[in-house]
Amino acid sequence: MSSVRTAPRASSRAHPRPRRLGPGDRLFLTVVVGIPLLALLVFVWLPALASIGLSFTSWDGLTLSDLHWVGLENYRQIFTDYPPFWPAVTHNVIWLLFTALLPTPFGVFLAYQLDRKIRFTRVYQTAIFIPMVLSLAVVGLIWDIIYNPDYGLLNGVISTVSSGHPIDWLGDPNLNLWAVLVASGWRHTGYIMILYLAGLKGFDPALKEAAALDGANGRQTFMKVVLPAMKPVNIIILVVTVMESLRAFDIVYVLGGGTGSKPGMELLSLLISDNITGESSHIGYGSALAVILLLVSLAAIGTFLFQTFRKEDQ
């Protein structure tokens, strides 16, 4: 009899009943999950879908009666009759390549060096990360002072070495884009350093020790052991680099004088702003440019992620 009575108790302990959510728990989950989802829908997805729809229209943004369907006319004009478009595409590609090939690897290199417990590591981390604390608009103001042709720091240093006319770093179409890229890379390097350094803190040091026992030097250890093991962080860094490059706006807007059509500094994000918020608003035109930028971003990131996950499946 005792065995018969204890069997149900053992079974109930092995398979406890799930606890039902009370009214307070449901309210808490609704608030915690519902509000972010609602904000994402209202501030991200609805504007994105509205931009796609408006890209097929002609509208000045004043009254709905002026909203007219034009189909693909905006896209046709952008690709054929809009002079700043192709220079902006070229500059966005240059921005992406520059950021991916110089500031991003340099940030990874700094993170790997600082992770080796060198002296004054904290001081170096703080000094390199300080630009990241500042907004891009503030960074633009700082570099605007540095690049000033009359009293700027850079021309002042150059004038002490050689005599000649001051260089107009932001006014010369052959130089201004590269000047802005240097300013943006100064900030981007610290961002990548912190991201990679955070990933290295969770890296198993035993793998480095095993590589050292096998005779690998520092470069071989990083390329053969650390870099493959940091694949999730590498994907995050690549996505951040692509997004930061394609949506560049603040620093160019400040250094370019608030226009998207300044020769040498055209970018897609600035062209969107000029058409939507300019003196003569072309909402449909600006929305079509925004859709093009969205498709370029999705294509760049989607291609990399597809290739990465396909290799993992194989």
Side-chain angles (χ1 to χ4, degrees):
M1 294 294 290
S2 60
S3 62
V4 175
R5 292 176 181 175
T6 56
R9 295 180 181 177
S11 176
S12 63
R13 291 178 181 175
H15 303 283
R17 293 181 179 180
R19 189 176 72 87
R20 293 183 179 181
L21 296 177
D25 297 330
R26 294 177 183 176
L27 178 61
F28 176 77
L29 288 177
T30 301
V31 172
V32 171
V33 178
I35 292 180
L37 286 177
L38 182 62
L40 182 66
L41 177 65
V42 172
F43 296 109
V44 178
W45 288 108
L46 286 182
L49 295 175
S51 297
I52 295 174
L54 290 173
S55 67
F56 300 102
T57 65
S58 174
W59 188 35
D60 58 5
L62 298 178
T63 59
L64 291 177
S65 59
D66 295 330
L67 183 65
H68 302 290
W69 180 267
V70 296
L72 297 175
E73 181 63 20
N74 289 330
Y75 293 95
R76 187 198 66 79
Q77 291 184 9
I78 288 173
F79 284 104
T80 59
D81 299 329
Y82 191 42
F85 174 71
W86 289 111
V89 173
T90 303
H91 295 160
N92 270 108
V93 172
I94 293 174
W95 195 295
L96 176 59
L97 293 176
F98 177 89
T99 307
L101 296 178
L102 288 179
T104 298
F106 188 54
V108 173
F109 171 77
L110 291 176
Y112 185 71
Q113 295 301 320
L114 293 176
D115 188 57
R116 299 170 63 180
K117 302 289 190 298
I118 61 177
R119 294 183 63 185
F120 307 114
T121 298
R122 299 291 183 183
V123 176
Y124 298 144
Q125 290 181 24
T126 304
I128 298 171
F129 188 68
I130 281 178
M132 191 58 213
V133 179
L134 306 175
S135 68
L136 280 171
V138 175
V139 172
L141 292 174
I142 294 173
W143 283 89
D144 187 44
I145 298 174
I146 295 175
Y147 287 138
N148 189 282
D150 299 324
Y151 55 82
L153 174 63
L154 188 56
N155 278 338
V157 173
I158 294 176
S159 63
T160 60
V161 179
S162 62
S163 60
H165 296 286
I167 301 174
D168 190 0
W169 297 97
L170 300 176
D172 188 344
N174 297 318
L175 295 175
N176 52 16
L177 179 64
W178 302 104
V180 176
L181 285 173
V182 171
S184 175
W186 176 61
R187 183 179 186 271
H188 186 76
T189 298
Y191 188 22
I192 298 301
M193 181 202 71
I194 290 298
L195 285 178
Y196 213 80
L197 193 59
L200 288 173
K201 295 303 180 183
F203 184 79
D204 188 0
L207 297 176
K208 294 182 182 179
E209 296 174 0
L213 292 176
D214 291 337
N217 55 30
R219 184 184 64 84
Q220 292 172 334
T221 301
F222 177 77
M223 297 301 296
K224 301 293 185 180
V225 179
V226 178
L227 193 61
M230 297 285 290
K231 190 173 185 178
V233 180
N234 296 335
I235 294 176
I236 294 174
I237 287 178
L238 179 74
V239 172
V240 167
T241 299
V242 173
M243 297 306 298
E244 289 288 327
S245 301
L246 294 179
R247 71 179 184 88
F249 176 82
D250 312 52
I251 191 169
V252 190
Y253 189 84
V254 173
L255 292 177
T259 177
S261 57
K262 185 174 182 179
M265 298 179 67
E266 302 93 339
L267 288 176
L268 290 175
S269 59
L270 290 174
L271 297 184
I272 295 170
S273 175
D274 279 358
N275 281 277
I276 292 180
T277 63
E279 294 180 358
S280 56
S281 298
H282 302 285
I283 304 298
Y285 217 76
S287 298
L289 288 166
V291 171
I292 293 173
L293 181 58
L294 174 64
L295 293 177
V296 171
S297 303
L298 292 177
I301 297 174
T303 300
F304 174 79
L305 294 179
F306 175 77
Q307 295 293 335
T308 300
F309 291 126
R310 189 176 69 172
K311 290 179 181 179
E312 288 184 353
D313 293 338
Q314 292 177 351

